[in-house]
Amino acid sequence: MATSPIFHPTPLFLILLGFSLSLSLPNLPQSSKLIEPETVCSSTPHPTFCKSLFTPNKPCNILHYFHSSAHISLSTTRKFLNFLNRYKNRSSLSKTAIRALKDFRLLSELNIDFLLSSIEAVNSINTLSIFRAHDVQSLLSAILTNQKTCFDSLNSTALMPWSVKNGLQVPLSTGTKMYSVSLALFTHGWVKNQNKAIPERNLLKTTTRNVSVREKVIVRQDEKGDFTTINDAVAAAPNGTSLSDGYFVIYVVAGVYAE
């Protein structure tokens, strides 16, 4: 994101688009039949890791696989948040490191909110509107973007103690694998074969937790926003800012961004 070796930009938020303007038909998973773990995990970025999450040779439907992975992701996020709290009151940390860790906590709290919303949306009735399915997919994608922000900050923050950096690498990596598996399973079950054309929708009223906002931009693939790619929006975020300057908020229109 920045060419400077010192990383202390305004934190990034991916606040998504949602709420359809019209009703849509219920959306059932593309496959409600029983599937072997080896088969369903082959559609994820980490097949071996995915298979380790489920009982071998015990076929389940896609709803079970997603619910299981989403709850494991939620547990993983809460554990990471508790792990971060160990460093909350360390006076030996630099201001830059403290700022980065505060961002990690805030992004982890957002990840928990996004996971809870996704789990709630995929209920036992097993139906979603087309609009809602794409919103859930975008929420799960936003979690991965939050993880990328944490990784970039961890590797770029000046004066971050080696013990802290080394201690956070593994849980961050594990969390990223979990989130990517959950996203892949949801995509496989609910949106894999849907038409990519989605009608216009209103902006989802997602809170930024009462933090100060200095600027908002919108990413739209149809060139009607400020940027057409997430990477361009991230690159536009200012560097060297302080928390008092406010947050740079990125709104992303729901969809698949192959970047």
Side-chain angles (χ1 to χ4, degrees):
M1 172 179 160
T3 57
S4 169
I6 299 177
F7 184 99
H8 48 95
T10 304
L12 305 176
F13 291 87
L14 294 184
I15 314 299
L16 312 175
L17 298 186
F19 291 133
S20 61
L21 295 177
S22 59
L23 296 176
S24 59
L25 295 175
N27 176 36
L28 295 172
Q30 297 298 326
S31 176
S32 57
K33 64 180 180 181
L34 299 182
I35 314 171
E36 292 285 349
E38 293 77 8
T39 301
V40 74
C41 285
S42 65
S43 66
T44 70
H46 307 284
T48 301
F49 177 81
C50 175
K51 286 186 289 185
S52 70
L53 305 174
F54 308 113
T55 304
N57 303 317
K58 185 179 179 180
C60 300
N61 61 33
I62 195 67
L63 177 66
H64 170 83
Y65 287 122
F66 173 72
H67 266 298
S68 296
S69 69
H71 279 95
I72 296 173
S73 293
L74 185 61
S75 177
T76 300
T77 311
R78 286 171 171 161
K79 288 178 181 178
F80 180 65
L81 193 57
N82 289 333
F83 187 76
L84 286 173
N85 288 332
R86 299 180 186 179
Y87 305 105
K88 195 171 184 179
N89 298 313
R90 286 200 179 183
S91 58
S92 59
L93 295 175
S94 67
K95 290 183 179 180
T96 305
I98 292 173
R99 186 181 299 132
L101 291 171
K102 184 175 181 179
D103 291 345
F104 296 170
R105 284 192 290 271
L106 186 55
L107 291 171
S108 295
E109 289 170 355
L110 282 173
N111 288 348
I112 289 175
D113 289 344
F114 293 167
L115 282 167
L116 288 173
S117 295
S118 300
I119 292 171
E120 182 181 1
V122 185
N123 54 37
S124 58
I125 299 176
N126 204 13
T127 60
L128 288 175
S129 71
I130 293 174
F131 295 111
R132 189 63 179 133
H134 279 275
D135 285 340
V136 172
Q137 185 186 36
S138 296
L139 285 171
L140 296 172
S141 297
I143 293 174
L144 285 171
T145 304
N146 288 344
Q147 288 293 104
K148 180 63 165 58
T149 300
C150 289
F151 266 119
D152 289 346
S153 180
L154 184 65
N155 293 325
S156 304
T157 299
L159 304 179
M160 178 72 78
W162 179 88
S163 60
V164 177
K165 183 176 293 188
N166 188 58
L168 294 179
Q169 287 282 1
V170 172
L172 267 177
S173 178
T174 301
T176 299
K177 287 182 179 180
M178 274 304 319
Y179 304 143
S180 66
V181 167
S182 294
L183 172 60
L185 291 175
F186 181 82
T187 300
H188 175 80
W190 281 266
V191 296
K192 181 179 179 181
N193 298 318
Q194 286 183 11
N195 191 323
K196 292 184 179 180
I198 309 173
E200 184 67 35
R201 293 176 291 171
N202 288 329
L203 193 64
L204 181 66
K205 294 179 176 61
T206 305
T207 179
T208 52
R209 296 181 174 274
N210 300 317
V211 298
S212 174
V213 176
R214 63 176 290 168
E215 186 176 357
K216 299 177 183 179
V217 297
I218 297 176
V219 178
R220 296 177 60 114
Q221 293 174 318
D222 59 6
E223 300 184 348
K224 294 181 180 180
D226 301 291
F227 301 96
T228 57
T229 69
I230 297 173
N231 283 335
D232 287 345
V234 172
N239 296 307
T241 57
S242 65
L243 293 177
S244 60
D245 293 330
Y247 286 73
F248 185 86
V249 180
I250 301 175
Y251 292 91
V252 181
V253 172
V256 178
Y257 292 79
E259 303 182 32

